Amino acid sequence: MRGLALGLALTCLSGAALAAMRPGEAAPDFTLAAAVGGKSFTFTLSEALKQGPVVLYFYPKSFTSGCTEEAHEFAENADNFAQAGASLIGVSADTLDTQKEFSTKECRDKFPVGADADGKVIRAYKAQFSGLLNTDMSSRLSYVIAPDGKIILAYEGLSPAPHIEKTLAAVRQWRAAHPR
């Protein structure tokens, strides 16, 4: 068990997506069971896009060190994303029960996390971890999707902090070009 936990922790530090989608590509619509504040609901990308850009970030495993750090940093910046008119959702292959707990403890009730236990959304966004573990597990990959459904940023990197910086900068740049 300890070896598996170590392997999962390392997963949050390493690995790569097979081939991230590119800016300008149409983002696949999806519906997932999600949780925010410990409560479940159904998240649909096309519905969220009606309110403005969506930051969709994939992470390997809830409650591992890098993934927890990333959730904390997105939570700390949730108001900055909202001020720029964007919403956030994190997605991993964890179960809905795990996401309910993670949404409260680590996302601090600030944004939802989706449960993609079968990996369909992970595969649709080319976010599969290419390591030796579970292929439904995702890499650390972030997208910013404009309200027209087009990807305006795809960023993959091992360190959580640049994901927040790069996605927030992309949202702000989009907002400057599309004033309310």
Side-chain angles (χ1 to χ4, degrees):
M1 184 67 158
R2 183 179 154 168
L4 177 60
L6 176 60
L8 292 175
L10 291 175
T11 296
C12 281
L13 299 174
S14 64
L18 296 176
M21 296 182 71
R22 305 265 185 243
E25 287 187 65
D29 194 18
F30 65 89
T31 298
L32 276 180
V36 66
K39 298 192 182 344
S40 61
F41 73 102
T42 300
F43 177 92
T44 300
L45 178 63
S46 57
E47 290 299 312
L49 288 171
K50 291 177 182 177
Q51 306 304 311
V54 172
V55 175
L56 167 63
Y57 84 94
F58 292 93
Y59 62 96
K61 184 80 176 143
S62 294
F63 295 109
T64 55
S65 61
C67 300
T68 294
E69 177 186 337
E70 186 174 30
H72 288 176
E73 290 192 32
F74 269 115
E76 288 172 14
N77 283 280
D79 290 340
N80 293 329
F81 284 100
Q83 286 173 356
S87 58
L88 302 167
I89 183 163
V91 174
S92 73
D94 291 294
T95 65
L96 182 57
D97 285 339
T98 298
Q99 299 303 54
K100 285 179 182 178
E101 186 178 358
F102 193 70
S103 74
T104 295
K105 290 183 176 177
E106 309 306 350
C107 302
R108 301 176 178 159
D109 301 335
K110 294 282 192 171
F111 64 92
V113 283
D116 189 24
D118 62 7
K120 286 182 182 177
V121 176
I122 291 167
R123 286 189 300 280
Y125 278 83
K126 300 179 181 179
Q128 304 98 305
F129 179 76
S130 63
L132 298 176
L133 297 175
N134 182 349
T135 57
D136 286 340
M137 185 177 288
S138 71
S139 182
R140 187 175 316 286
L141 178 61
S142 297
Y143 291 101
V144 177
I145 305 165
D148 67 0
K150 301 287 186 196
I151 294 171
I152 57 176
L153 174 82
Y155 176 75
E156 182 177 13
L158 300 176
S159 177
H163 287 265
I164 290 79
E165 295 164 15
K166 290 182 183 298
T167 57
L168 185 55
V171 167
R172 286 177 171 158
Q173 183 178 6
W174 182 89
R175 176 54 61 202
H178 300 86
R180 296 176 203 198

